Amino acid sequence: MATPADRPPEPSLVDRYGRVATDLRVSLTDRCNLRCSYCMPPEGLPWLPAPSVLTDDEVVRLLTVAVGQLGVTEVRFTGGEPLLRPGLVKIIAAASGLTPRPRLSLTTNGIGLDRLAGPLRDAGLDRVNVSLDTLDPDRFAQLAHRRRLPDVLTGLAAAADTGLTPVKINAVLLRGINDSEAGDLLRFALAHGYQLRFIEQMPLDPQHGWDRSQMVTADEILAQLEAEFPLRPDPAHRGSAPAETWLVDGFSDAHGEPAKVGVIGSVTRPFCGACDRTRLTADGQVRNCLFATDENDLRTPLRDGAADEELAERWRAAMWGKLPGHGINDPTFLQPARPMSAIGG
Ligand code: SAM
Ligand code: SF4
C-alpha cells in the first residue's frame, strides 16, 4: 500500500484530524463462551477459519512493529474472549519484554480468571477490565445465555487478589432486562473496591437489532445513580479516556483514593475528537475505528515476508484514513459488517 500523498512523514499513527493513535486494541480470538445478546446470537457465529487467525508469533511480530516503530504505548487484549486463547500468557510475556515496555491490559468476561490471573500478572499484565452486567444469576443466564455468574464473580475476586488493579467493571444496561441495576452494580463495585463504568449499547450486534429508542442513555444511567449516590464530576483531566467519571462522595477505592464511577456515552456523548485508538483483529486486519466499514490487511504482507518498515507503513496509511467520527448519529450511518465480538471490543 502506497503512502498517501498528503500524509506528513511522521513515524507515529497520525490521522488527518491531528489525532495520534497510541492505544492498540488487539483481538486474540472471535470465539466466546458467553452469548451476551448485544454482542453474539445464542447459536454463536461462524468462527474465523483457523488458518486465517494470526499465530502467537505473528501477533507478537505486529506488536513489535506497533511499539517499536509506531509509538504505541498501551496494548489492550480483547476478543471474543481473550482467556480462550491458548497462547495468551506467552503473548503477554513477549509484549512485556518490548522496548519501551507498553502498559498491558485485558478486557475479559472473567470466566477462567481465577486460574489465569496469577500467571497473567507474572507474565507482565498490568490491569483487567471484567464485564459484568447483572448480579442476578437468572438475569445473567437470560442476558448471556449461559449460567456462569459465579465464575465471573470468582474471576473478579481473583484479579483483585492478584493485584491486577485497579480492577474495572464494564456494564451494559439493556432496557427491560437489567436497566434497574445501575445502583446495585455500583454498590457492589464500591463494596469490593472495583471501578465501575457503564457503556451505552452500540450498534455492533450481529443481528443488527440495535434500536436507539431502546438504548439506555448516559443521562438515564446518571439520573439513576444520582438518585442513590452523592456524585461529583471528577476534576481529573479526562484526556483520551472514553469514560466521563464522577467521584462518589464518602467512598474510597482499594488504594484509599476517592471512589469513581464512569459512563461511556459512545452514542449520546461521542468522544471521537479525542480518540487515540487503533485496532488489530484476530485475523490481522487493522481497523482505524470500531465503526470503520473497511479494514487494512496486514496478515497477507506479513506472511509474504514484508519487512517491519513495510508493515509499519501500511499501518500508518490505514490510520491516516480515519474518519473524524463514528457517524452513528448521521442518517447515512452504516453498521460495520463485523460484529463487536469479531472486531474486538
Ligand atoms: N469477552 C470480553 C468481555 O466481554 O469483556 C471481551 C470482548 S467484549 C466484545 C468487550 C466489551 O464490549 C464488553 O465490555 C462488552 O460488554 C462490550 N460490548 C459488546 N457488545 C457491545 C455493544 N453492542 N455495545 C456496547 N458494548 C458492547
Ligand atoms: Fe463474549 Fe464479551 Fe461478547 Fe459477551 S461481550 S458475548 S463475553 S465477547
Side-chain angles (χ1 to χ4, degrees):
M1 177 191 287
T3 305
D6 58 341
R7 188 188 183 282
E10 264 290 318
S12 58
L13 294 172
V14 293
D15 67 36
R16 284 194 175 81
Y17 303 92
R19 295 166 297 188
V20 184
T22 54
D23 182 344
L24 169 61
R25 306 279 152 132
V26 181
S27 173
L28 291 177
T29 177
D30 58 331
R31 295 173 186 242
C32 191
N33 41 13
L34 293 184
R35 298 285 184 270
C36 306
S37 56
Y38 47 77
C39 183
M40 218 187 267
E43 65 277 14
L45 289 165
W47 308 127
L48 289 170
S52 74
V53 175
L54 297 180
T55 64
D56 295 350
D57 287 346
E58 288 171 338
V59 171
V60 173
R61 169 92 189 280
L62 292 179
L63 290 178
T64 309
V65 170
V67 171
Q69 312 225 11
L70 300 170
V72 163
T73 55
E74 181 110 33
V75 180
R76 171 172 295 276
F77 297 96
T78 179
E81 177 43 51
L83 295 183
L84 295 180
R85 172 103 185 192
L88 176 64
V89 173
K90 194 175 122 195
I91 292 171
I92 302 261
S96 76
L98 295 175
T99 310
R101 184 196 187 285
R103 286 184 296 275
L104 299 173
S105 57
L106 181 76
T107 299
T108 169
N109 63 27
I111 299 172
L113 206 48
D114 54 339
R115 196 171 37 84
L116 280 166
L120 286 169
R121 184 214 41 212
D122 294 347
L125 186 69
D126 297 312
R127 286 199 316 98
V128 290
N129 283 28
V130 177
S131 301
L132 174 69
D133 301 327
T134 176
L135 295 164
D136 179 286
D138 293 329
R139 206 173 274 159
F140 187 97
Q142 179 193 3
L143 208 153
H145 296 96
R146 299 286 186 274
R147 198 162 272 286
R148 304 295 297 267
L149 178 61
D151 303 87
V152 177
L153 298 180
T154 314
L156 261 171
D161 291 348
T162 314
L164 291 169
T165 51
V167 174
K168 295 191 182 177
I169 295 180
N170 291 350
V172 177
L173 295 183
L174 302 181
R175 197 169 301 286
I177 299 180
N178 62 340
D179 55 343
S180 60
E181 270 195 78
D184 290 342
L185 284 164
L186 182 52
R187 242 181 307 282
F188 169 81
L190 293 170
H192 292 85
Y194 307 142
Q195 250 184 53
L196 174 66
R197 302 120 44 91
F198 292 94
I199 310 176
E200 276 181 348
Q201 189 191 355
M202 295 178 276
L204 288 169
D205 57 310
Q207 303 92 328
H208 290 225
W210 180 84
D211 174 355
R212 175 184 301 274
S213 66
Q214 287 302 305
M215 182 183 65
V216 181
T217 64
D219 285 353
E220 287 178 77
I221 297 164
L222 273 171
Q224 263 198 57
L225 295 176
E226 279 170 338
E228 294 189 54
F229 297 90
L231 300 187
R232 196 156 48 89
D234 183 358
H237 177 57
R238 181 172 169 195
S240 58
E244 283 177 77
T245 49
W246 283 263
L247 303 181
V248 191
D249 273 339
F251 292 89
S252 42
D253 68 13
H255 301 284
E257 300 292 324
K260 295 181 182 187
V261 62
V263 179
I264 303 181
S266 321
V267 179
T268 63
R269 303 178 178 203
F271 36 84
C272 304
C275 182
D276 64 353
R277 304 276 150 77
T278 181
R279 294 172 185 275
L280 183 66
T281 63
D283 55 351
Q285 311 296 306
V286 170
R287 295 181 64 89
N288 57 26
C289 172
L290 202 45
F291 294 94
T293 48
D294 58 357
E295 301 181 337
N296 291 78
D297 181 21
L298 289 189
R299 186 190 68 227
T300 306
L302 171 70
R303 290 185 179 171
D304 285 349
D308 283 2
E309 183 45 39
E310 183 191 335
L311 296 169
E313 204 46 36
R314 286 175 179 271
W315 205 323
R316 290 184 190 111
M319 294 309 294
W320 184 245
K322 181 169 170 133
L323 295 176
H326 56 44
I328 299 174
N329 300 311
D330 300 342
T332 53
F333 174 73
L334 272 185
Q335 184 170 333
R338 293 213 216 205
M340 184 68 131
S341 59
I343 296 171

